[in-house]
Amino acid sequence: MGSSSLGLHHWSVLASQRAILPQNSAKPLQKFHSLPTTVTVACIATSRASSVRCHLGCFGFTAFNRKFRKSVRGCATNPFVVANDEKYGNKQVISITPQVYDYILANVREPEVLRQLREETASMHGSQMQVSPDQAQLLAMLVQIHGAEKCIEVGVYTGYSSLATALVLPESGSLVACERDGRSLEVAKKYYDKANVSHKVHVKYGFAADALRSLILSGEACSYDFAFVDADKRMYQEYFELLLQLVKVGGLIVFDNVLWHGKVADPEVNDAKTVSIRNFNTSIMQDKRVSISMGQVPIGDGMTICRKRQPHNKS
């Protein structure tokens, strides 16, 4: 939540799941690329010149980074870039253009009830906070691969990701869903009922940190298999510490928006949320209590997957 998890700032994903580019748009294209620092980048052609400035998301640097400005070549029909720094070995790296993202969405198996929820949410204030269909599909698969039965979600909004999780949980499974926005939570509850998964979802209305502390105090430490965090970015470190107490050894904690439209890698951007995420990323990178994987797939606004280790594991 809190940002366009859909990976689109100036586009919207409609019912047909097509990425729509505004006409005559010359605004920076944010969060739509997954590229290293020094690259020659395949760009999106608009009705203006193909020299439109593109902002790169996944590894955080912009195509017009002052130190590494490179001329734009190609268009949306060329969905990869070649890094021109030797440390990347001239590796061809995928660039998520509207054309490629459209193809990704066309290959997402989105249940009908999730499609309906996505379309209703699209008309609401803050709809950019909803995770994208491909992101929800990945979360659901992680839950299935891990064999998770007890899950936590911090930041529910209208319930797209929590519903995707609840749908794949076994009948005996449970999901603690923490959300402080009562209006959006009502939408989520409506779709939990519609999908017949309400018995799996335990809604905690209020501040998530309070709900997590309450779970710990009630003796539920080290009993959860999976957690997903998509809430107040300035609280990520606190959520992490609380969830680390709640998940089992081997359990997964997934954080959304860790790339924050690429702002985390731009030293000139220092607003409170960006600094918080940047500090959080640095902190968990150094935290030996978890194994981590950041942004390994070009999805959403960057996701970090943490796996809780055995205590004192030096590997």
Side-chain angles (χ1 to χ4, degrees):
M1 284 166 50
S3 176
S4 176
S5 297
L6 222 65
L8 301 165
H9 266 286
H10 302 294
W11 300 269
S12 60
V13 177
L14 306 181
S16 61
Q17 294 187 335
R18 294 191 61 83
I20 306 301
L21 183 66
Q23 295 297 315
N24 300 317
S25 172
K27 294 182 179 180
L29 308 180
Q30 299 180 7
K31 288 184 59 184
F32 228 103
H33 304 271
S34 304
L35 310 170
T37 311
T38 54
V39 298
T40 303
V41 52
C43 188
I44 295 98
T46 69
S47 56
R48 300 192 182 214
S50 61
S51 59
V52 60
R53 295 174 62 184
C54 296
H55 282 231
L56 311 186
C58 187
F59 290 95
F61 293 85
T62 68
F64 282 76
N65 182 291
R66 291 180 178 178
K67 186 176 180 181
F68 300 108
R69 291 190 181 189
K70 298 294 176 182
S71 60
V72 173
R73 71 182 183 191
C75 63
T77 59
N78 183 11
F80 65 85
V81 296
V82 179
N84 54 19
D85 189 304
E86 289 183 0
K87 67 182 177 182
Y88 298 119
N90 293 320
K91 174 76 173 175
Q92 290 185 345
V93 184
I94 191 69
S95 171
I96 301 303
T97 65
Q99 180 187 25
V100 175
Y101 192 66
D102 187 34
Y103 183 82
I104 291 172
L105 289 181
N107 285 276
V108 171
R109 296 176 179 176
E110 183 182 41
E112 175 63 17
V113 68
L114 283 176
R115 182 191 64 78
Q116 293 174 8
L117 172 55
R118 174 170 56 80
E119 292 181 358
E120 179 170 338
T121 303
S123 65
M124 295 176 58
H125 174 72
S127 60
Q128 75 279 1
M129 295 189 292
Q130 179 178 254
V131 302
S132 57
D134 51 321
Q135 196 172 10
Q137 182 173 256
L138 175 61
L139 292 171
M141 180 169 283
L142 288 172
V143 168
Q144 290 176 300
I145 290 172
H146 196 57
E149 294 190 1
K150 291 185 68 177
C151 302
I152 300 174
E153 181 161 315
V154 177
V156 172
Y157 186 44
T158 59
Y160 192 90
S161 53
S162 56
L163 179 55
T165 297
L167 285 169
V168 300
L169 282 174
E171 281 301 300
S172 59
S174 64
L175 169 66
V176 174
C178 306
E179 176 58 55
R180 65 181 183 181
D181 183 348
R183 184 176 178 182
S184 61
L185 199 52
E186 288 306 310
V187 177
K189 289 178 179 178
K190 179 175 72 173
Y191 279 90
Y192 297 152
D193 288 339
K194 194 169 187 176
N196 297 315
V197 297
S198 293
H199 61 289
K200 301 180 188 179
V201 184
H202 305 285
V203 173
K204 300 289 185 180
Y205 174 55
F207 291 103
D210 292 339
L212 299 179
R213 292 190 193 97
S214 177
L215 293 175
I216 294 169
L217 291 173
S218 64
E220 295 196 55
C222 298
S223 67
Y224 287 84
D225 306 297
F226 181 89
F228 176 53
V229 182
D230 187 11
D232 186 351
K233 313 311 168 191
R234 292 165 292 192
M235 293 285 290
Y236 268 23
Q237 188 64 46
E238 184 169 354
Y239 293 147
F240 174 69
E241 294 297 338
L242 292 169
L243 289 169
L244 205 57
Q245 296 179 60
L246 286 164
V247 300
K248 302 174 180 176
V249 170
L252 301 181
I253 309 173
V254 180
F255 288 88
D256 195 18
N257 302 117
V258 294
L259 298 177
W260 203 230
H261 331 313
K263 294 179 182 179
V264 288
D266 188 341
E268 296 184 6
V269 180
N270 291 292
D271 61 274
K273 288 185 178 180
T274 301
V275 170
S276 293
I277 297 175
R278 186 183 292 142
N279 290 341
F280 172 72
N281 289 342
T282 299
S283 176
I284 61 170
M285 176 67 179
Q286 301 169 348
D287 199 320
K288 300 304 181 183
R289 295 174 295 175
V290 292
S291 302
I292 67 167
S293 174
M294 174 193 281
Q296 295 293 348
V297 288
I299 191 168
D301 190 26
M303 293 171 64
T304 292
I305 301 171
C306 304
R307 183 176 183 271
K308 185 175 178 180
R309 289 175 165 177
Q310 285 281 2
H312 310 301
N313 188 337
K314 301 298 183 181
S315 61

